[in-house]
Amino acid sequence: MRRTSLILFTALACAGFSQAAAAEGTLTVYTYESFTADWGPGPQVEKAFEAQCDCDLKFVSVADGVALLNRLRLEGGNTDADIVLGLDTNLTAEAKKTGFFAPHGISTDKVTVPGGWSDDTFVPFDYGYFAVVYDTKAIVNPPKSMHDFLKGREGKIVIEDPRTSTPGLGLMLWIRKIYGDLSPEAYEELKQRVLTVTPGWSEAYGLFTSGEAHMVLSYTTSPAYHMIAEDSDRYQAASFSEGHYMQIEVAGQTRKGAQNPLAAQFLAFMTSPAFQDIIPETNWMLPAAPTSKPLDPAFGKLVQPTKALIYTPEEVAEHREDWVKQWLSVMSK
């Protein structure tokens, strides 16, 4: 009887040890849905990182970037996330204030985003510019400025919710950057053009490509997908004379992740060609660090913004709540 108990105890102890060892070899990354989609960068990133780390990379996805921060706030200190990948610079100041993130402690010398990079908590993995992407079969005269777009009435657009989506937040900030205190009047004009508002980018772009709307709030780089994957020039981004709002997407390690050596290893891996080579033709954004191969020529045919518009993270953190309330007061009437 005692011998049986001893064997059972030993078996359970070994099982517990194996589970602990497995846990030590696991990295949990929270990100957004399009990143983990079959056609997104997630599957290739998982394969490439696991080949280096001999570990288990586990993705957990939510609808979009703003939803990542909302989820962290709900989970508080009990989050399973080691890494949060998919916030952008419009959210980094707020993210730091939560106290959920720890300094990364790695070199970011390889980062090549416009304007340079200096941040001890977050590391960029790609960047791009928001744009109104339109269907050339439906829109004969695409808008040449934000003013033209808001005043025009040719075609409807699908946009994303600034409360849950980084593109949705980006559109609101883009309009604010151009119109300032006159933004409510601009929102009124925009409202006339909106077919629907979705929680995230994936839903919006799906409605657009299925023909439900002739325009969608996306990126200047989005047409590259259609050119490369579908050999089609049908979908194009409108070039706005006022400039385009820039988005820099980032990842950071949580306080929990700071106790997992794999977290810092993953952040360093993000700035390497092994990760950056994957980004352009899966996430359809621009690489944030050098790649080992040139971009496809299709990227050279895209809209090249003459002016990059952007707020500092601190400015967004100070005003985001009030600006979103103002947006909602107009758009929800």
Side-chain angles (χ1 to χ4, degrees):
M1 184 75 172
R2 291 177 61 186
R3 183 171 179 272
T4 302
S5 299
L6 179 60
I7 293 172
L8 179 61
F9 173 80
T10 303
L12 290 172
C14 289
F17 177 79
S18 297
Q19 290 174 0
E24 288 176 359
T26 299
L27 182 72
T28 301
V29 177
Y30 282 15
T31 187
Y32 48 77
E33 288 177 351
S34 62
F35 194 93
T36 59
D38 291 342
W39 43 264
Q44 292 186 47
V45 167
E46 182 177 5
K47 182 179 179 180
F49 184 64
E50 287 182 347
Q52 290 188 12
C53 71
D54 192 25
C55 66
D56 180 23
L57 175 58
K58 178 183 176 183
F59 284 116
V60 176
S61 60
V62 297
D64 216 320
V66 180
L68 285 171
L69 187 55
N70 294 340
R71 175 161 178 166
L72 280 180
R73 284 176 169 147
L74 286 173
E75 294 181 343
N78 296 318
T79 183
D80 291 329
D82 295 308
I83 295 283
V84 177
L85 182 155
L87 303 177
D88 65 15
T89 52
N90 294 319
L91 298 171
T92 53
E94 288 183 59
K96 287 181 182 180
K97 288 181 181 179
T98 65
F100 298 151
F101 290 89
H104 53 68
I106 69 166
S107 171
T108 56
D109 291 347
K110 296 178 182 177
V111 173
T112 57
V113 296
W117 188 257
S118 178
D119 191 295
D120 67 355
T121 305
F122 294 100
V123 181
F125 63 92
D126 67 20
Y127 75 96
Y129 301 88
F130 294 115
V132 171
V133 175
Y134 65 97
D135 183 348
T136 61
K137 290 187 176 181
I139 303 295
V140 178
N141 299 304
K144 294 179 172 56
S145 67
M146 181 66 77
H147 176 79
D148 288 348
F149 167 65
L150 294 176
K151 294 293 184 181
R153 293 293 177 262
E154 185 184 8
K156 291 285 188 176
I157 188 170
V158 181
I159 64 173
E160 300 86 355
D161 192 327
R163 294 171 295 179
T164 55
S165 165
T166 50
L169 178 60
L171 174 61
M172 185 192 76
L173 296 174
W174 189 6
I175 292 174
R176 277 217 67 92
K177 195 69 176 176
I178 294 172
Y179 290 94
D181 292 340
L182 297 178
S183 293
E185 286 86 343
Y187 302 156
E188 288 282 2
E189 296 287 353
L190 173 65
K191 186 178 176 181
Q192 306 305 312
R193 306 218 68 179
V194 173
L195 175 69
T196 191
V197 181
T198 64
W201 177 88
S202 295
E203 302 96 322
Y205 210 79
L207 288 172
F208 168 66
T209 54
S210 66
E212 294 296 320
H214 299 321
M215 292 179 287
V216 65
L217 189 280
S218 193
Y219 297 87
T220 59
T221 46
S222 296
Y225 164 76
H226 303 285
M227 294 179 193
I228 296 170
E230 300 176 345
D231 193 26
S232 172
D233 294 330
R234 176 175 175 176
Y235 303 113
Q236 296 295 322
S239 179
F240 283 7
S241 60
E242 301 98 338
H244 292 251
Y245 198 90
M246 183 168 67
Q247 180 186 49
I248 301 173
E249 294 194 293
V250 301
Q253 67 176 359
T254 63
R255 293 287 177 186
K256 172 182 176 291
Q259 308 305 312
N260 185 346
L262 291 170
Q265 185 179 342
F266 181 84
L267 293 176
F269 166 75
M270 275 194 344
T271 66
S272 73
F275 182 101
Q276 291 295 311
D277 283 350
I278 297 170
I279 288 297
E281 295 184 30
T282 55
N283 220 33
W284 303 100
M285 295 281 276
L286 298 169
T291 59
S292 67
K293 56 185 180 181
L295 296 180
D296 188 283
F299 282 86
K301 301 176 183 178
L302 303 175
V303 167
Q304 306 295 327
T306 57
K307 185 177 182 181
L309 307 176
I310 195 166
Y311 283 106
T312 67
E314 292 73 23
E315 287 175 315
V316 179
E318 181 180 357
H319 299 290
R320 182 167 78 100
E321 184 176 354
D322 290 338
W323 286 348
V324 169
K325 285 180 180 178
Q326 186 182 70
W327 165 279
L328 291 173
S329 70
V330 175
M331 299 296 288
S332 60
K333 286 180 182 177

